[in-house]
Amino acid sequence: MAEKRYLLTPGPTPVPPEVLAELAKPVIHHRERDYREIYERCLLRLQEVYRTKNDVLMFTTSGTGAFESAVANLTSAGDRQLVLSAGNFGERWAGMAKAFGADLVHARLEWGETPEPEDLRSALSDAGDVKVVYLTHSETSTGVVCDVQGLAAVAKEAGALVVVDAVSSLGAVPLEMDDWGLDVVVSGSQKALMTPPGLATAAVSAAGWEQVARSTLPSFYFNWERTRKAQEQVDSAFTPAVSLIVALDVALGLLLDGGLDDAFERHLRLGRACRAGIKAMGLELFSPDEDRSAVVTAVRMPDGMDSAELARALRDRHGITIAGGQGELKGVIFRIGHIGWYDEFDIATALSAVELVLGELGAPIERGQAATRALEVYAEGATV
Amino acid sequence: MAEKRYLLTPGPTPVPPEVLAELAKPVIHHRERDYREIYERCLLRLQEVYRTKNDVLMFTTSGTGAFESAVANLTSAGDRQLVLSAGNFGERWAGMAKAFGADLVHARLEWGETPEPEDLRSALSDAGDVKVVYLTHSETSTGVVCDVQGLAAVAKEAGALVVVDAVSSLGAVPLEMDDWGLDVVVSGSQKALMTPPGLATAAVSAAGWEQVARSTLPSFYFNWERTRKAQEQVDSAFTPAVSLIVALDVALGLLLDGGLDDAFERHLRLGRACRAGIKAMGLELFSPDEDRSAVVTAVRMPDGMDSAELARALRDRHGITIAGGQGELKGVIFRIGHIGWYDEFDIATALSAVELVLGELGAPIERGQAATRALEVYAEGATV
C-alpha cells in the first residue's frame, strides 16, 4: 500500500483537493477571456486578503523574487535603508539590500528575539536619515511573529517607508495593510494561501510608488511599473504561471468564503494547541509562548540531540515531514508549521509522531500527554 | 455541454494528461528525499534535451526571468554586447541589456527577416570588441528559426560569448549546445517541454562561467553561482515551484522516451503540413516557407482585415485559441503554434477553423482544400 504522507512544515504547506484539482485542468491561454476573468477576480481577492485598496502586483517567482522586486524598485543611489532582523528571513532582506548596493544599516537581533518598537526606534535614531525600513512579520526560521503595526508606526514617525515580508503571515495572522500604514507588503502562494509555490505578490502604497519613481536601480522582470501597467489591462507583462494562478483563485475563494477572521482565529488556536502539547511532552519552546506566535512552533531539541535526526526518522519511518532549524539554529531546534489547510488533528499527528520518535531515540520526554492536551486546548479556544 | 477548447498558440502549449495528473498530486517538500530523486532526474533529463554536459540551472520564473539571469550574470561594466534581432523576442534581449546598463550594439533586422551569419559578421566587424552576442533561435513573434549553429560560429570566431534564447525551440527543432559551442542557452517549460508556464532554465558553458566571474552587475534571485551551488547538492536556493518540477520531469520523460530526433521530425512535418494548408487556402505565408520554420507558422491576413477579429471569432464562436501578431505585426499576421503535444489533426483543426471563419468574414480564400492538403503533406514526410 502507498505510504500516507503528512506535510507539516512551514512551507510549502498542504494544498486542498479542490485547489489541486484546478491544476489538473487543461492549460488556458493568459490572454483568453476565460483566464482574464479568473485573473481579475484573483487580483481582487488578493486585495481583500491584504486588506488594502492598493494594487497587488503578481509575479511568477518564489517569495524571494518578491523581496527582490521590493529592493530593486525602491532603492535609490545614496539612500539609507534599515533592516531589523532576528532570523533567517530578516537576514535575507539585509543580504539582498546589500547585494543591490543600498547604504544599509543592519540592526541585527539574536535569532529568536522578538523585534520591539523600541528596538526600531533606537536603531533609527542611531542610523540618521533612513528612507526604507524592511521588516519580517512572521520570521519562519524562529516562529516569532512581531507587532508589525507598532513597528510600522515607529518607522512612519521617522519618515521612512515600511516594507514587510508577510510570506508566512498573510492569511494566517491579522495584517491590515491600509489601516496600519504599511507601504509594501510581499507574500507568496505556498503558505496560508494554500497553493503550491511559484507565485509571489507585492502590494504597494501611494508613498511606495513615489519612492519607485525616485529609484535608480535597473529592473526588468521584477519592474513594478511594467507589472502595474499590464495588470491595469488585466494582462501580464510576461507569460505567467497560469495553472498556479487559476489554483490560487480557488484557494483564495476558500479562504475568503470561510472568512479571514475565522482563519486568524483557527491559526491562533492551532498555535496554542501546539505549544500546549509540546510543553506537556516536557520539551522547551524556542518560539515565544504567546498568541501572536500562531504560524510556526519552534522547539528546542533535548540536550545533545540533533533535530536532523528527528526529522529524518519522522520522514523515513513515518512519512511525516517537519522542518529542522535553519542557519545557526540547524540541529538545535525543530519546527512544526501550522499554516493554511491545517486543523487540530494535524497538530495531534505532529505531536504524536514527535513523541514516538523522540521516545525511540531515548529522549527524556513525558509520554501519552501531548496530543490529548493539544486537542483540549484547541477546543477551549472555541468561540462559544 | 461544456465547450471543447483547443489551445493552438505558440505558448503556453497543450499539456499531456499524464503531466496534468502530476500537478494534482499532493505537494511534497523540496528538501524531501522523494522530491530530490525527481529533481535530480529532471536536471539530468534537461541536460539530455539541451544535449549538453553543462549544468542546466533551473529557476521558478517566466522565460523572461531566464533572459534576465543571463544579462545579470554576464554583464561587466564597460563590456560591449551585441543583440542581433528580427522580432519581438530579439528586441527583448536588447531592451533588457540596455536596462541593465550594457554598452549595447543593437543590430536590428526587419521583423520577419532571417538573421544570417553574414549579418552577424558585418555587425560584429562594425561594433569592434564585443564580449557577448545575444541570439534568438526561434523568433516566436515571426515564425523564423535561424541557423544558430552558423551564427554561433561567427560569434566564436570574433571571440564573443554566444547566448541563445531557445524558449520556443528547445525540444522542437535541433539544438546541440555542446557540439555547436553555445555558451548560454535559456528556455522555458511552457513550449515544447509540454509543461505549464512557471519554470525557466539556463545552461552555461565553461567559457560562460569565466564571464560570470568577471560580471559586475548585482544579482540575488537569479544569481547563477548560488543556483549552481544549490543544485550541486540537489537543492534549490529558494522554495521552487515543486508541482511544476514534478510535472516537468514527467513531460521530459515522455519527450525522451519518444526520442528527441522523433520530436524534431514531427515538428518539421507539422510545419510543412501547416504551410501547405495555408497555401492551399490561398493565403500568404509571413514566416519562411522552409523546413527550419517548424515551430510557429505566421500568416499574413488578407488585405484590409485585422487578425484580432479572426482570433476573437475563433475563440468566441469555436473555442479555438490562436495568436495574433505582436508589436508592429499586431493585426497584420496571425500565428498557429505547433509545438510540443501536438499532432497533424491539431493542424487540420486549426486550418479548418481559420478557413471557416475567414469565409464567414468574407475573405477571398479557397475552400475545402487546406486540411486535406495538410494531412497529405504530413503523411508524405513519414520516414519509410
Side-chain angles (χ1 to χ4, degrees):
Chain A
M1 200 181 99
E3 183 185 46
K4 280 198 83 168
R5 303 299 303 269
Y6 298 86
L7 180 63
L8 306 175
T9 69
T13 64
V15 172
E18 301 91 317
V19 179
L20 290 175
E22 286 299 314
L23 291 164
K25 291 189 179 167
V27 169
I28 54 179
H29 196 272
H30 54 291
R31 303 223 156 89
E32 270 297 343
R33 197 177 45 185
D34 321 33
Y35 170 75
R36 288 157 63 107
E37 277 172 23
I38 294 168
Y39 178 49
E40 187 166 31
R41 183 175 59 222
C42 186
L43 293 173
L44 290 170
R45 285 175 165 169
L46 281 168
Q47 286 181 308
E48 281 190 67
V49 175
Y50 267 86
R51 292 192 163 160
T52 186
K53 292 194 165 58
N54 298 315
D55 288 332
V56 182
L57 308 176
M58 172 121 67
F59 299 92
T60 295
T61 183
S62 308
T64 302
F67 277 50
E68 177 158 331
S69 81
V71 175
N73 285 277
L74 294 172
T75 302
S76 194
D79 279 2
R80 185 158 296 171
Q81 303 188 340
L82 188 143
V83 171
L84 180 60
S85 86
N88 190 43
F89 292 93
E91 307 240 347
R92 184 163 294 173
W93 275 132
M96 198 178 272
K98 204 168 168 194
F100 286 96
D103 176 12
L104 175 70
V105 178
H106 185 183
R108 189 185 187 281
L109 305 182
E110 290 300 313
W111 287 35
E113 281 191 74
T114 301
E116 300 291 351
E118 204 37 60
D119 298 320
L120 182 58
R121 186 170 288 116
S122 123
L124 280 168
S125 133
D126 292 350
D129 182 34
V130 167
K131 287 280 192 289
V132 179
V133 170
Y134 298 97
L135 301 172
T136 308
H137 189 197
S138 164
E139 177 51 79
T140 316
S141 66
T142 66
V144 169
V145 175
C146 70
D147 169 17
V148 86
Q149 181 180 15
L151 290 161
V154 171
K156 306 294 281 186
E157 218 173 84
L161 284 180
V162 183
V163 181
V164 177
D165 162 9
V167 171
S168 65
S169 63
L170 189 76
V173 293
L175 181 144
E176 303 279 345
M177 181 170 186
D178 291 356
D179 281 359
W180 297 355
L182 311 178
D183 293 299
V184 174
V185 178
V186 303
S187 196
S189 54
Q190 79 279 15
K191 310 271 187 181
L193 305 190
M194 305 183 292
T195 303
L199 296 174
T201 47
V204 188
S205 73
W209 284 109
E210 282 171 31
Q211 177 66 15
V212 173
R214 297 182 57 241
S215 164
T216 53
L217 268 187
S219 64
F220 196 98
Y221 185 71
F222 290 127
N223 187 278
W224 281 351
E225 190 55 41
R226 183 192 311 270
T227 304
R228 173 163 79 165
K229 278 189 187 149
Q231 288 188 190
E232 279 170 2
Q233 310 298 316
V234 198
D235 198 359
S236 309
F238 313 110
T239 307
V242 283
S243 309
L244 294 175
I245 291 171
V246 169
L248 177 62
D249 175 58
V250 170
L252 294 175
L254 293 174
L255 177 60
L256 292 167
D257 285 351
L260 261 185
D261 290 327
D262 283 10
F264 300 152
E265 196 198 315
R266 181 167 47 83
H267 283 85
L268 183 149
R269 289 168 62 196
L270 290 170
R272 282 183 188 162
C274 192
R275 291 192 299 275
I278 287 295
K279 288 187 289 184
M281 218 186 296
L283 292 171
E284 190 187 340
L285 288 168
F286 179 82
S287 48
D289 193 3
E290 60 176 37
D291 274 349
R292 215 165 47 206
S293 185
V295 178
V296 182
T297 297
V299 184
R300 281 193 192 279
M301 278 300 284
D303 279 347
M305 300 185 72
D306 185 333
S307 63
E309 197 181 352
L310 170 65
R312 200 163 38 239
L314 282 169
R315 184 191 62 202
D316 291 354
R317 294 192 220 146
H318 307 289
I320 287 175
T321 309
I322 63 160
Q326 294 182 309
E328 59 185 53
L329 295 173
K330 206 170 173 174
V332 177
I333 62 168
F334 67 88
R335 292 173 297 149
I336 299 170
H338 24 84
I339 315 176
W341 193 56
Y342 205 99
D343 71 12
E344 67 271 37
F345 300 104
D346 292 313
I347 295 283
T349 297
L351 293 170
S352 307
V354 165
E355 179 183 316
L356 181 70
V357 170
L358 283 181
E360 288 169 352
L361 295 174
I365 51 159
E366 191 72 30
R367 306 288 293 265
Q369 305 297 322
T372 303
R373 184 74 194 119
L375 293 176
E376 276 169 8
V377 167
Y378 189 85
E380 280 164 18
T383 311
V384 191
Chain B
M1 199 179 100
E3 182 184 48
K4 281 197 83 168
R5 302 299 303 267
Y6 298 86
L7 181 63
L8 306 176
T9 69
T13 63
V15 172
E18 301 92 315
V19 179
L20 290 174
E22 286 300 315
L23 291 164
K25 290 188 179 168
V27 170
I28 55 178
H29 195 270
H30 55 292
R31 303 222 156 92
E32 271 296 343
R33 199 178 43 185
D34 322 34
Y35 171 75
R36 288 157 63 107
E37 278 172 22
I38 295 167
Y39 178 49
E40 187 165 31
R41 183 174 60 223
C42 186
L43 293 173
L44 290 171
R45 284 175 164 168
L46 281 167
Q47 286 182 306
E48 281 191 67
V49 174
Y50 268 86
R51 293 193 162 159
T52 186
K53 293 194 165 58
N54 298 315
D55 288 332
V56 181
L57 308 176
M58 174 122 64
F59 298 93
T60 295
T61 182
S62 308
T64 302
F67 277 52
E68 177 158 329
S69 80
V71 173
N73 285 276
L74 295 172
T75 302
S76 194
D79 280 3
R80 184 157 297 169
Q81 303 189 339
L82 187 143
V83 171
L84 180 60
S85 85
N88 191 42
F89 292 92
E91 308 240 346
R92 184 164 293 175
W93 275 132
M96 198 180 273
K98 205 169 166 194
F100 286 96
D103 175 12
L104 175 71
V105 178
H106 185 183
R108 188 183 187 283
L109 305 181
E110 290 298 315
W111 287 35
E113 282 191 74
T114 302
E116 300 292 350
E118 204 37 62
D119 297 320
L120 183 57
R121 186 171 287 115
S122 123
L124 281 168
S125 135
D126 291 350
D129 182 33
V130 167
K131 287 280 192 290
V132 179
V133 169
Y134 298 97
L135 300 172
T136 308
H137 189 198
S138 164
E139 177 53 78
T140 316
S141 66
T142 67
V144 169
V145 176
C146 70
D147 169 17
V148 86
Q149 181 179 16
L151 290 161
V154 169
K156 304 296 278 186
E157 217 172 85
L161 284 179
V162 182
V163 181
V164 176
D165 161 10
V167 172
S168 65
S169 63
L170 189 76
V173 293
L175 181 144
E176 303 278 346
M177 180 170 187
D178 291 356
D179 281 1
W180 297 355
L182 310 178
D183 292 299
V184 174
V185 177
V186 302
S187 195
S189 55
Q190 78 282 12
K191 309 273 187 179
L193 305 189
M194 305 183 292
T195 303
L199 298 174
T201 49
V204 187
S205 73
W209 284 109
E210 284 172 31
Q211 177 66 16
V212 173
R214 297 182 58 242
S215 164
T216 52
L217 268 187
S219 63
F220 196 99
Y221 185 71
F222 290 127
N223 187 279
W224 281 352
E225 191 56 39
R226 184 192 311 268
T227 304
R228 173 162 80 166
K229 278 189 186 150
Q231 290 190 188
E232 278 171 3
Q233 311 298 317
V234 197
D235 199 358
S236 310
F238 312 109
T239 307
V242 284
S243 308
L244 293 176
I245 291 172
V246 169
L248 176 62
D249 175 57
V250 170
L252 294 175
L254 294 174
L255 177 59
L256 292 167
D257 286 349
L260 261 187
D261 289 328
D262 284 11
F264 299 153
E265 196 198 314
R266 182 168 45 84
H267 283 85
L268 182 148
R269 289 167 62 197
L270 290 170
R272 282 182 187 163
C274 194
R275 291 191 299 275
I278 288 295
K279 288 187 290 182
M281 218 186 297
L283 291 170
E284 190 187 340
L285 289 168
F286 179 81
S287 48
D289 191 3
E290 60 178 37
D291 274 349
R292 217 164 46 206
S293 185
V295 177
V296 182
T297 298
V299 184
R300 281 192 191 281
M301 280 298 285
D303 279 348
M305 300 184 73
D306 184 332
S307 63
E309 196 181 355
L310 169 65
R312 199 163 37 238
L314 281 168
R315 184 191 64 201
D316 291 354
R317 293 193 220 147
H318 306 290
I320 288 175
T321 310
I322 62 161
Q326 294 182 308
E328 59 186 54
L329 296 173
K330 204 168 175 176
V332 177
I333 61 169
F334 66 88
R335 293 172 299 148
I336 299 170
H338 26 83
I339 315 177
W341 193 55
Y342 204 100
D343 72 11
E344 67 270 38
F345 300 105
D346 292 314
I347 295 284
T349 297
L351 293 170
S352 306
V354 165
E355 180 184 315
L356 181 70
V357 171
L358 283 181
E360 287 168 353
L361 295 173
I365 51 159
E366 192 71 31
R367 305 291 292 267
Q369 305 296 320
T372 303
R373 184 72 193 120
L375 292 176
E376 276 170 8
V377 166
Y378 189 85
E380 281 164 17
T383 311
V384 192

